[in-house]
């Protein structure tokens, strides 16, 4: 009987480890997976900091919640009418009043310092190796590489009927953003019609694309692979159907892709006006 119980426990542990391993593999591919808890596996230094900061906040709020719960239990047990028929007439306690003022301030300072550091690292763009301009349209993304011959192309979602085996539904695109690994990528984002948002969870990147405004952010992918994201701003009826696909490759592969892309997208007018972009959007609808 004991052997059967031990065998069952061993099988359960092995199954749990397998599920964890499958989850980490799916997250490493840069896309959500079933029964996922927490963030996708980080692929950039900024996402590493975001994950650490989120975990730190979880520890702090857990400690505060347990402390408040303990106080409530003490009050219910020691100061209910049955256990304490004659309540105290104490109205002030200087030590407690000072403590509940100073301690929350110290907690907020503890949170604020890494928060400001993280915000600074997100906002200040280091010297870039590659610059990419992303333009949001209703409802797809257009990309331009101004440092690499100004090549420009659109990325539209692959419809369900056209999906190939292994391609994720609602995330696959007909073209992809290609970037080299371990290089600083400066991302300039705008929109031609309404507000969109360019988001890759594994990169820790989320930035609004606003018509008439050029926003800027950056990322540095440290792992090769394919990463997916979606528009994260409610932009219209097909908001859920304008995904983002980024493929991180080696420097040699990026050089080869750049050479191919300059020929593939050669002759495309990069000076696309907002009006012509809107006409293109209407035609696609």
């Amino acid at each position: 009987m004991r052997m059967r119980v031990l065998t069952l426990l061993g099988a359960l542990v092995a199954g749990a480890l397998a599920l964890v391993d499958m989850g980490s593999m799916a997250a490493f591919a840069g896309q959500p997976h079933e029964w996922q808890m927490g963030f996708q596996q980080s692929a950039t230094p900024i996402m590493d900091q975001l994950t650490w900061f989120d975990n730190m906040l979880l520890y702090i709020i857990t400690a505060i919640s347990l402390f408040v719960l303990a106080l409530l239990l003490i009050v219910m047990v020691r100061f209910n009418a049955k256990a304490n028929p004659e309540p105290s007439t104490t109205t002030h306690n200087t030590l407690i009043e000072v403590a509940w003022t100073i301690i929350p301030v110290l907690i907020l300072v503890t949170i604020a310092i890494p928060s400001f550091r993280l915000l600074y690292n997100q906002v200040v763009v280091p010297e870039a190796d590659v610059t990419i301009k992303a333009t949001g349209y209703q409802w797809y993304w257009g990309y331009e590489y101004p440092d690499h011959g100004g090549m420009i192309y659109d990325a539209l979602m692959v419809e369900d009927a056209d999906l190939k085996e292994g391609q994720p539904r609602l995330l696959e695109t007909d073209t992809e953003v290609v970037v080299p690994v371990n290089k600083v990528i400066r991302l300039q984002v705008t929109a031609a019609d309404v507000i969109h948002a360019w988001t890759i969870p594994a990169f820790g990147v989320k930035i609004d694309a606003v018509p008439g405004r050029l926003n800027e952010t950056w990322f540095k992918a440290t792992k090769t692979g394919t990463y997916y994201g979606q528009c994260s701003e409610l932009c219209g009826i097909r908001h859920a159907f304008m995904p983002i696909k980024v493929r991180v490759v080696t420097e040699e592969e990026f050089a080869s892709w750049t050479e191919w892309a300059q020929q593939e997208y050669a002759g495309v007018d990069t000076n696309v006006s907002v009006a012509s972009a809107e006409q293109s959007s209407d035609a696609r609808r």
Side-chain angles (χ1 to χ4, degrees):
M1 182 65 180
R2 291 178 59 186
M3 289 298 296
R4 292 179 61 184
V5 172
L6 291 175
T7 303
L8 178 60
L9 289 175
L12 290 174
V13 172
L17 292 176
L19 287 174
V20 171
D21 185 59
M22 289 174 62
S24 62
M25 290 176 62
F28 180 75
Q31 66 186 70
H33 60 88
E34 294 183 2
W35 301 99
Q36 176 179 334
M37 294 182 64
F39 298 125
Q40 293 181 18
Q41 186 175 343
S42 172
T44 65
I46 290 297
M47 191 59 195
D48 290 340
Q49 296 179 47
L50 283 168
T51 302
W52 177 87
F53 185 63
D54 180 79
N55 291 335
M56 184 196 73
L57 291 180
L58 180 61
Y59 295 143
I60 291 175
I61 194 63
T62 300
I64 293 173
S65 299
L66 292 175
F67 177 70
V68 173
L69 176 61
L71 291 181
L72 290 174
L73 293 175
I74 292 172
V75 169
M76 288 188 291
V77 172
R78 294 187 58 184
F79 301 104
N80 60 71
K82 183 178 180 180
N84 192 38
E86 295 184 7
S88 171
T89 58
T90 303
T91 58
H92 295 283
N93 187 304
T94 303
L95 179 61
I96 292 178
E97 291 179 356
V98 171
W100 72 34
T101 301
I102 293 179
I103 293 176
V105 171
L106 295 177
I107 293 174
L108 291 176
V109 170
T110 302
I111 294 174
I113 292 175
S115 175
F116 292 151
R117 184 185 300 117
L118 174 58
L119 183 62
Y120 177 85
N121 292 336
Q122 288 178 303
V123 171
V124 177
V125 180
E127 184 176 355
D129 299 299
V130 178
T131 299
I132 299 174
K133 181 181 179 182
T135 304
Y137 301 97
Q138 289 180 312
W139 286 272
Y140 62 95
W141 291 96
Y143 297 102
E144 180 180 353
Y145 286 70
D147 298 337
H148 296 78
M151 52 188 181
I152 183 172
Y153 58 92
D154 296 334
L156 285 77
M157 187 190 75
V158 176
E159 300 294 338
D160 293 354
D162 301 322
L163 285 174
K164 299 178 181 179
E165 185 177 356
Q167 292 182 332
R169 180 176 178 270
L170 300 182
L171 292 176
E172 189 66 34
T173 57
D174 58 352
T175 59
E176 57 193 7
V177 179
V178 180
V179 298
V181 68
N182 291 320
K183 296 295 182 180
V184 176
I185 311 300
R186 176 171 56 203
L187 181 69
Q188 298 177 332
V189 182
T190 188
D193 33 54
V194 298
I195 299 177
H196 302 278
W198 200 92
T199 307
I200 297 288
F203 292 171
V205 172
K206 182 180 185 297
I207 185 168
D208 281 347
V210 182
R213 181 184 179 92
L214 192 67
N215 289 333
E216 189 173 72
T217 188
W218 71 283
F219 62 87
K220 181 182 178 181
T222 56
K223 302 174 183 177
T224 58
T226 302
Y227 301 89
Y228 295 94
Q230 291 175 301
C231 174
S232 298
E233 196 74 54
L234 190 59
C235 58
I237 189 172
R238 289 186 60 83
H239 159 70
F241 306 100
M242 52 181 301
I244 303 162
K245 179 182 179 182
V246 178
R247 183 160 59 93
V248 182
V249 299
T250 63
E251 290 187 58
E252 294 77 12
E253 291 173 327
F254 179 73
S256 299
W257 177 86
T258 301
E259 183 178 351
W260 169 85
Q262 287 175 343
Q263 297 178 1
E264 179 71 13
Y265 306 120
V268 178
D269 183 12
T270 59
N271 297 317
V272 181
S273 66
V274 173
S276 62
E278 290 178 347
Q279 293 171 1
S280 175
S281 175
D282 293 338
R284 293 183 184 279
R285 283 182 286 177

